Amino acid sequence: MADTSADVIFSGGTVHTVDPARPRAEAVAVRGERIVAVGATDAMMPLRGPRTRVVDLRAGTLLPGFQDAHVHPIGGGVDRLACDVRDIHPRSAVIDAIRAYADARPDASWIVGSGWYMGDFPGGTPRREDLDAAVPDRPAFLPNRDGHTAWVNSRALELAGIDRVTPDPADGRIERDPDGTPSGCLHEGAADLVERLMPPTTEDEWAEGLRIGQAYLHSLGITAWQDAIVHPNNLATYRRAAAEGWLTARVEAALWWERERGDEQIEEFAAASRALAADAGRLRANSVKLMVDGVLETFTGSMLEPYLGPDGRPTANRGIDFLDPAALGGHVARIDAAGLQPHFHAIGDRAVRNALDAVAAARAANGRSDTRPHISHIQVIHPADIPRFAALDVVANAQPLWACHETNMDELTIPFLGPERSRWQYPFGSLLRAGARLAMGSDWSVSSPNPLEEIEVAVTRVAPESRGRARAFFPDERLTLEEAIAAFTIGSAFVNHLDAETGSITIGKLADFAVVDRDVFDRESGAIGEARVIATFVGGHAVFEDPALGS
Ligand SMILES: [Zn+2]
């Protein structure tokens, strides 16, 4: 007789399924890669055989694995190999850390790092002299945490030939002193003037970055993600990981739309997508990333109305459209017609509108497709555009950790938007009430990839660092815990075209789980962001396990 016993049974805690047909259960059984039973603990006993592993949830919560709908795992991993100043504050400590890193590497021809926080520097823009003090002898290049601004030293500016007469490139801006001298920050495309001179990252370094990034994301309960910027070299990294058998996450790759090029790219994307479809495994490349604008902190986010100046009066600046709005609809219609998913970066209200208009053009040309367009970041949405997400079936891809009062928001954003537009930021509650689908992601390494911290902010609109002290950031836009967990599981699974197979704990679906160390629905159990993931399973196999879990 065939062995019908389960390979793994999870019991001893709460199962939050994200399946409306059975929201809660006590236990789950898995055979092979799939869920074979969900229900009461007693009901699992007939499935328990001599080789069945029983995982005791220890009064914790079993959730569907988190899916990060917008993340940069390879770059995030590589950042951890270089001079990573993400957790270092204030300014003086950042400079000391860079100096120590450089001093420890006398043979490095460049000093490369990342992760500084704009709020640590006056006006959000550090100066070249500060970096010269840490690295006087070699070029140094450090993008900030969001990757939209690079801090460079005098040696790097010299090498790139950037001086007071160098014009700003069309897709970026050189930060300058009043006399035009570059002061040390290069925004958006201006950073390429230096970056193109740097020694390229090697294939092995990319692979090491992916190993580090994947292990880190698994340790946070993440089982699948959409990589939001994949160039051909990083697609090769993923393919290598898949071929060598160590790609344990399910990955959707968003292939990078080069803004200097046109529709001829679409056939290349489609070819890359087809090549993977043959032996897909856990890797797919069905998405195309379109960067519509920049960010508000550097006034490169594309706005319908001008930014305000320091005096509170409108300036002449409405930000930058990286992609010509008149051409965007045509590109998106052809991406959609090729069966590929448009994944937009849109921060400002004009960028969000341009993206929605482009999907409207695609819908008009192609009818309703199943490519599932999504707009990431959605920082400022004009109220008139909120119902369009549901009407056009565009997924709102939220990075909830940003929806709180912190220095970037209070000092570098709100004063330049003014009160009315400030209220339009991150309107997640309004989007859900208007019937929009919501997905969630971290944008790591821009910010923490811990889904439990992100979910906490989606629910409280208060940063974990100022928990219990700060006021909520436009509290009408808070979500319930159930809504936030659904966005981070089934919502992101929808974006990844994985919702038929993952995203909820449902019989027949793949056994992708996160085990959390407490009942997150118990109000007595503390802040959600303080909870910890103690095990992560993909297809029934543990990809992360806290030794404390035992067996
Ligand atoms: Zn991103």
Side-chain angles (χ1 to χ4, degrees):
M1 197 178 115
D3 184 1
T4 54
S5 58
D7 294 316
V8 192
I9 292 174
F10 297 84
S11 63
T14 305
V15 181
H16 179 74
T17 65
V18 192
D19 180 347
R22 187 205 315 254
R24 292 300 176 96
E26 291 177 354
V28 172
V30 172
R31 188 180 306 128
E33 286 197 310
R34 294 191 183 266
I35 299 162
V36 292
V38 181
T41 307
D42 291 349
M44 302 298 143
M45 287 310 113
L47 296 168
R48 186 169 175 174
R51 289 194 311 278
T52 302
R53 177 183 175 193
V54 178
V55 174
D56 180 1
L57 298 172
R58 297 176 179 231
T61 314
L62 186 72
L63 294 171
F66 297 118
Q67 302 200 15
D68 192 317
H70 183 122
V71 64
H72 307 281
I74 301 180
V78 168
D79 284 351
R80 297 193 134 202
L81 294 168
C83 182
D84 185 352
V85 296
R86 237 157 227 91
D87 295 321
I88 300 172
H89 311 278
R91 167 175 164 268
S92 57
V94 172
I95 295 165
D96 290 345
I98 298 167
R99 181 185 297 114
Y101 179 91
D103 288 350
R105 289 165 184 77
D107 298 332
S109 56
W110 282 71
I111 295 302
V112 178
S114 66
W116 52 274
Y117 178 57
M118 298 182 102
D120 284 334
F121 295 87
T125 52
R127 296 193 53 86
R128 63 191 156 83
E129 293 87 349
D130 281 346
L131 198 47
D132 292 345
V135 190
D137 52 338
R138 293 164 277 176
F141 179 87
L142 289 96
N144 70 334
R145 204 183 284 187
D146 70 26
H148 291 264
T149 295
W151 180 18
V152 295
N153 66 357
S154 297
R155 192 75 196 93
L157 288 166
E158 248 169 65
L159 265 183
I162 303 172
D163 58 23
R164 73 175 66 184
V165 298
T166 309
D168 288 345
D171 61 349
R173 189 162 59 76
I174 299 165
E175 189 74 31
R176 301 171 194 269
D177 290 332
D179 71 351
T181 306
S183 61
C185 275
L186 304 173
H187 304 296
E188 305 295 345
D192 298 342
L193 301 171
V194 170
E195 200 170 7
R196 66 186 180 204
L197 306 173
M198 288 165 37
T201 306
T202 66
E203 265 177 51
D204 284 344
E205 286 166 340
W206 289 126
E208 187 57 17
L210 176 55
R211 274 182 211 279
I212 292 170
Q214 175 172 260
Y216 184 38
L217 297 178
H218 281 334
S219 78
L220 299 169
I222 294 167
T223 54
W225 64 70
Q226 182 157 144
D227 187 322
I229 300 182
V230 177
H231 297 288
N233 58 349
N234 282 165
L235 188 60
T237 310
Y238 277 118
R239 294 192 66 150
R240 171 175 163 184
E244 292 176 358
W246 53 271
L247 186 70
T248 44
R250 305 185 197 282
V251 177
E252 177 67 74
L255 306 171
W256 177 251
W257 175 276
E258 290 182 33
R259 35 200 195 234
E260 314 69 43
R261 298 181 63 202
D263 287 337
E264 73 280 5
Q265 306 177 70
I266 296 171
E267 185 40 45
E268 297 165 16
F269 299 147
S273 167
R274 282 194 301 270
L276 288 171
D279 64 331
R282 289 181 179 173
L283 174 62
R284 305 175 191 189
N286 298 325
S287 190
V288 176
K289 173 70 174 301
L290 299 136
M291 186 118 162
V292 181
D293 70 340
V295 293
L296 302 184
E297 291 88 340
T298 62
F299 313 117
T300 53
S302 171
M303 296 297 295
L304 292 165
E305 299 296 331
Y307 289 95
L308 307 182
D311 58 359
R313 300 177 47 179
T315 64
N317 182 18
R318 292 168 202 255
I320 304 181
D321 287 323
F322 289 153
L323 298 166
D324 174 10
L328 189 58
H331 297 320
V332 169
R334 285 181 283 274
I335 288 167
D336 179 62
L340 298 167
Q341 171 183 75
H343 174 172
F344 302 92
H345 159 120
I347 292 269
D349 54 7
R350 185 159 52 112
V352 172
R353 182 167 292 175
N354 289 347
L356 290 166
D357 287 349
V359 175
R363 299 296 193 215
N366 308 331
R368 272 311 149 102
S369 66
D370 191 37
T371 62
R372 307 184 182 182
H374 55 123
I375 307 180
S376 284
H377 310 327
I378 46 173
Q379 182 162 354
V380 186
I381 307 181
H382 190 283
D385 288 324
I386 285 182
R388 298 180 72 200
F389 283 79
L392 292 164
D393 205 2
V394 172
V395 182
N397 186 338
Q399 282 64 64
L401 202 64
W402 305 345
C404 59
H405 287 290
E406 33 87 43
T407 315
N408 266 14
M409 176 58 69
D410 294 343
E411 293 177 14
L412 303 178
T413 305
I414 288 175
F416 305 98
L417 292 180
E420 186 179 29
R421 292 182 297 180
S422 291
R423 270 200 308 279
W424 300 348
Q425 291 185 92
Y426 305 121
F428 309 143
S430 297
L431 283 162
L432 269 191
R433 288 188 289 273
R437 293 180 199 269
L438 203 57
M440 283 186 183
S442 64
D443 207 6
W444 184 63
S445 57
V446 172
S447 41
S448 163
N450 182 347
L452 293 165
E453 285 187 353
E454 294 157 50
I455 288 169
E456 176 180 343
V457 181
V459 170
T460 64
R461 309 272 288 192
V462 173
E465 305 83 68
S466 41
R467 191 182 284 146
R469 291 184 283 115
R471 68 192 195 285
F473 181 76
F474 304 111
D476 288 352
E477 301 299 343
R478 286 181 296 203
L479 303 180
T480 66
L481 181 55
E482 285 86 349
E483 288 166 343
I485 290 175
F488 237 114
T489 54
I490 195 72
S492 296
F494 179 84
V495 156
N496 288 331
H497 285 89
L498 286 171
D499 52 313
E501 292 275 59
T502 68
S504 67
I505 299 177
T506 302
I507 292 170
K509 281 194 175 183
L510 292 161
D512 293 6
F513 305 132
V515 182
V516 180
D517 69 350
R518 64 196 76 183
D519 181 351
V520 291
F521 287 91
D522 177 358
R523 286 173 192 279
E524 307 292 292
S525 73
I528 302 154
E530 284 177 337
R532 273 188 330 112
V533 167
I534 51 176
T536 306
F537 288 76
V538 181
H541 287 276
V543 293
F544 164 74
E545 231 172 321
D546 191 311
L549 187 68
S551 61

